[in-house]
């Protein structure tokens, strides 16, 4: 399973780094494969372990912010091994084939 999620602290100042730092630490220390960019964090793993990370990260933000908005997108593709990198590799392969 691959999920992409974003936590947005609501009712706080524009700079949210102080509000999400604990969540990022939880995600990084989860032992799961992760990748973050400026808008989302992707986590790869089994359903229960991925959702546990999302829950704990959300609770960490909620401990500091009066309200938290969670955006979550999940890709359940059992045949795809290593979806964090595998989906991109598949796309790159297709692009190369089209260019040839």
């Amino acid at each position: 399973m691959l999920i992409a999620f974003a936590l947005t602290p609501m009712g706080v100042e524009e700079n949210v780094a102080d509000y999400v730092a604990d969540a990022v630490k939880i995600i990084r220390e989860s032992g799961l494969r992760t990748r973050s960019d400026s808008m989302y964090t992707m986590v790869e793993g089994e359903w229960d372990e991925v959702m546990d990370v999302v829950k704990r990260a959300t609770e960490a933000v909620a401990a500091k912010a009066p309200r938290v908005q969670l955006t979550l997108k999940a890709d359940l593709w059992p045949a795809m091994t290593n979806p964090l990198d595998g989906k991109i590799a598949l796309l790159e392969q297709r692009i190369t084939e089209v260019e040839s």
Side-chain angles (χ1 to χ4, degrees):
M1 165 183 221
L2 180 64
I3 63 139
F5 77 107
L7 295 167
T8 306
M10 306 296 286
V12 299
E13 67 268 9
E14 188 174 327
N15 183 350
V16 298
D18 289 340
Y19 296 92
V20 298
D22 291 337
V24 171
K25 184 176 180 185
I26 288 166
I27 295 163
R28 289 181 178 173
E29 292 177 351
S30 71
L32 300 177
R33 297 192 64 231
T34 68
R35 182 176 300 140
S36 296
D37 60 31
S38 60
M39 299 215 21
Y40 287 94
T41 295
M42 289 169 283
V43 181
E44 177 184 303
E46 297 300 318
W47 180 274
D48 290 340
E49 59 190 6
V50 168
M51 290 307 180
D52 178 62
V53 171
V54 171
K55 179 181 179 188
R56 290 187 296 120
T58 303
E59 290 171 344
V61 176
K64 293 183 176 180
R67 179 177 165 203
V68 180
Q69 187 176 71
L70 166 65
T71 304
L72 188 141
K73 184 175 182 177
D75 188 348
L76 301 129
W77 188 357
M80 171 60 71
T81 57
N82 188 16
L84 193 61
D85 296 319
K87 289 176 68 173
I88 297 299
L90 186 59
L91 174 62
E92 291 297 337
Q93 177 185 345
R94 296 294 192 265
I95 291 170
T96 302
E97 291 169 359
V98 170
E99 291 175 344
S100 299

